[in-house]
Amino acid sequence: MAHVQQPPPTATSDLLGRDAAHLIHPLHDAALHRNARVWVEGDGALLTDAEGREYIDGLAGLWNVTAGHGRTELADTMRDQAATLAYASGYTGSSNPRAIELAERLAAICYPSINRFFFTSGGGEATESSIKMARAVWKLRGRPDKTKVISRVNAYHGVTLAAMSATGLSPYWPLFEPRVPGFLHIPCPDPYRYEAPPGRSQGVAAADELERAILEAGPDTVAMFIAEPVQGAGGVIVPPDDYFPRIREICDRYDVLLVADEVITGFGRTGRLFALDHWGVEPDIVQFAKAITSGYFPFGGIGVSDGIAATLDEAGRPWMHAYTYSAHPVGCAVALRTLDIVEDERFPEQAAAKGDDLLDRLRAALADHPHVGDVRGKGLMCAMELVEDRASKRPFPPDRGIGAAVLREALERGLVSRMKADTYVLAPPIVITGEQIGRTVEILADAVRAVLG
């Protein structure tokens, strides 16, 4: 038998072999990972893989690299701060100048009633901090039974155990049951799918689901309601304009803390610096991560209302919640430099204009396709939902794997992003160019036609 010369291993195959031997990945799936890309470089809204091929980063990493890849000023900030003070504890009795400066900066730009901040290493820790803050505050105010947390179907709040229990995407649950008790979910205000009773607006009817859940659970047992202003990983669900004003009324009526999860929406992504400003609503707690350092350093936190801060200050006992890396001086320095970029480059205005451009182009290219049910977005967060039947909004059977096929086709054409079932989501870096927006739409339209004709 003739010897068949085997091709030499590629850079990617070699790296993936080493990867498989030693790494466990988030959302680990060994079979899916066999065709992974290995990223070696980034520049603006572009990523380069180990084979030297360029892709548009259609999700800004994981919604977070808003300032784009390759920002040398952020790398320089990390180096300079690490050379000066790499780490110091943020526990009571210890602080550092960058943490103080960042808290002051956030107080100046955040919701007016929020002036005190606790820092974490990311969004999941921020959710845990919100939950523990809410429970602690009600205990300190003499209402210890107020412990329950209400969130929404299709919400994403992280995957640490309590955060996962708040997350309303059920595939995250089965391997880790039982979930933490005391977490409830209500329907989300999806304008495409939520059915309001006759004579009532979708927004008010969807908000009233919260009132119903509070009354069923018992108002004296509910500590907080947590919500993303625009649901991200759940499919870019933009609520009707009358939704959050009604939510605020309900939370006030039943003494339930309103927690805004702005891990994705914060710092300009939706066209406002903080997204609840679109509806003139202030939360009691805001949580953030991702864009505060544009992904260059793992960092997040929560901000609390003046009333909550006063309760902590007057408690006469410690709030026994702590992270080693809270108020990390390097993270705080990177956050401060990132906020300079957000302000100097007018990220909210950029996101609003580029988001409108992206949405208009998506609708022009895809809205007439017989299997494109909805194209939606707010700011530079957009989504395209594929359906089997447009008239009835009937989804494809999951075993058809339509979303996964579109994702693969787009990737082969040079666009990286993620799907939620059969909904393709887009949230590129805010620095994406107009030409790259056009190419993004062209690739996605070609991918849809390749799969669905």
Side-chain angles (χ1 to χ4, degrees), residues 55 405-416 424 443-444 447:
Y55 299 74
V406 170
L407 193 70
R408 282 195 304 273
E409 291 289 342
L411 184 62
E412 289 301 321
R413 289 164 170 78
L415 175 64
V416 183
Y424 196 101
I443 290 171
L444 187 53

Side-chain angles (χ1 to χ4, degrees), residues 330-351:
V330 177
C332 291
V334 176
L336 285 162
R337 187 66 185 90
T338 304
L339 292 178
D340 289 340
I341 295 171
V342 169
E343 180 179 340
D344 294 344
E345 300 182 15
R346 302 173 66 87
F347 272 17
E349 292 87 348
Q350 279 203 61

Side-chain angles (χ1 to χ4, degrees), residues 10 39 106 220 291 374-375 406 418 425:
T10 66
W39 307 112
L106 289 171
D220 288 335
D374 192 32
V375 178
V406 170
R418 292 185 64 80
V425 298

Side-chain angles (χ1 to χ4, degrees), residues 200-205 207 239-247 279:
R200 300 183 67 203
S201 75
Q202 278 186 315
V204 170
D241 286 341
D242 54 356
Y243 178 76
F244 274 110
R246 176 66 175 155
I247 288 290
W279 304 287

Side-chain angles (χ1 to χ4, degrees), residues 8-361:
T10 66
T12 298
S13 63
D14 175 63
L15 287 164
L16 287 179
R18 292 157 58 193
D19 177 297
H22 299 291
L23 277 173
I24 295 174
H25 288 267
L27 307 185
H28 191 80
D29 186 318
L32 283 179
H33 197 67
R34 290 191 189 107
N35 295 316
R37 266 60 175 180
V38 179
W39 307 112
V40 297
E41 189 176 355
D43 180 26
L46 299 176
L47 289 168
T48 302
D49 71 10
E51 303 300 319
R53 186 179 176 193
E54 278 191 343
Y55 299 74
I56 295 172
D57 185 356
L59 201 59
L62 283 172
W63 315 84
N64 54 341
V65 189
T66 51
H69 302 277
R71 300 293 297 236
T72 56
E73 63 267 57
L74 295 179
D76 291 344
T77 296
M78 279 187 270
R79 182 196 61 223
D80 293 346
Q81 180 59 48
T84 304
L85 177 67
Y87 173 78
S89 166
Y91 281 34
T92 289
S94 177
S95 192
N96 71 82
R98 300 296 86 77
I100 295 166
E101 292 162 10
L102 179 58
E104 289 175 332
R105 183 83 171 268
L106 289 171
I109 64 175
C110 197
Y111 298 101
S113 63
I114 291 179
N115 293 288
R116 298 280 289 279
F117 299 89
F118 173 80
F119 297 126
T120 70
S121 298
E125 287 185 358
T127 299
E128 297 285 334
S129 300
S130 292
I131 293 166
K132 292 175 78 174
M133 179 67 77
R135 289 184 171 183
V137 162
W138 289 121
K139 285 178 171 60
L140 292 171
R141 291 177 178 175
R143 304 179 71 179
D145 294 331
K146 286 178 78 69
T147 61
K148 293 175 184 172
V149 175
I150 300 177
S151 61
R152 301 179 297 184
V153 174
N154 287 329
Y156 185 86
H157 300 297
V159 291
T160 51
L161 200 56
M164 182 201 76
S165 301
T167 287
L169 294 162
S170 58
Y172 285 94
W173 302 338
L175 282 178
F176 314 107
E177 300 275 13
R179 282 168 279 155
V180 176
F183 285 76
L184 314 171
H185 296 88
I186 62 172
C188 64
D190 182 353
Y192 183 59
R193 295 197 175 275
Y194 184 82
E195 295 185 8
R200 300 183 67 203
S201 75
Q202 278 186 315
V204 170
D208 285 347
E209 302 274 6
L210 174 60
E211 183 172 42
R212 188 174 301 114
I214 291 170
L215 291 172
E216 288 178 358
D220 288 335
T221 71
V222 179
M224 60 180 265
F225 173 63
I226 183 170
E228 302 155 276
V230 177
Q231 289 178 249
V236 185
I237 297 168
V238 184
D241 286 341
D242 54 356
Y243 178 76
F244 274 110
R246 176 66 175 155
I247 288 290
R248 181 71 267 182
E249 291 175 2
I250 292 167
C251 288
D252 289 342
R253 178 178 303 161
Y254 297 104
D255 289 336
V256 171
L257 299 179
L258 173 57
V259 179
D261 184 343
E262 300 231 27
V263 166
I264 287 176
T265 59
F267 307 104
R269 170 64 73 183
T270 68
R272 296 288 181 93
L273 201 58
F274 292 94
L276 284 187
D277 277 340
H278 285 288
W279 304 287
V281 171
E282 286 193 50
D284 301 293
I285 299 174
V286 60
Q287 52 190 60
F288 51 86
K290 294 190 184 293
I292 193 171
T293 59
S294 192
Y296 282 65
F297 194 93
F299 199 83
I302 65 172
V304 303
S305 70
D306 295 335
I308 290 175
T311 297
L312 284 189
D313 288 343
E314 297 161 7
R317 57 189 288 195
W319 181 56
M320 295 299 294
H321 179 63
Y323 297 121
T324 296
Y325 294 109
S326 183
H328 195 293
V330 177
C332 291
V334 176
L336 285 162
R337 187 66 185 90
T338 304
L339 292 178
D340 289 340
I341 295 171
V342 169
E343 180 179 340
D344 294 344
E345 300 182 15
R346 302 173 66 87
F347 272 17
E349 292 87 348
Q350 279 203 61
K354 291 177 180 179
D356 286 345
D357 184 28
L358 176 57
L359 203 56
D360 288 346
R361 295 196 202 201

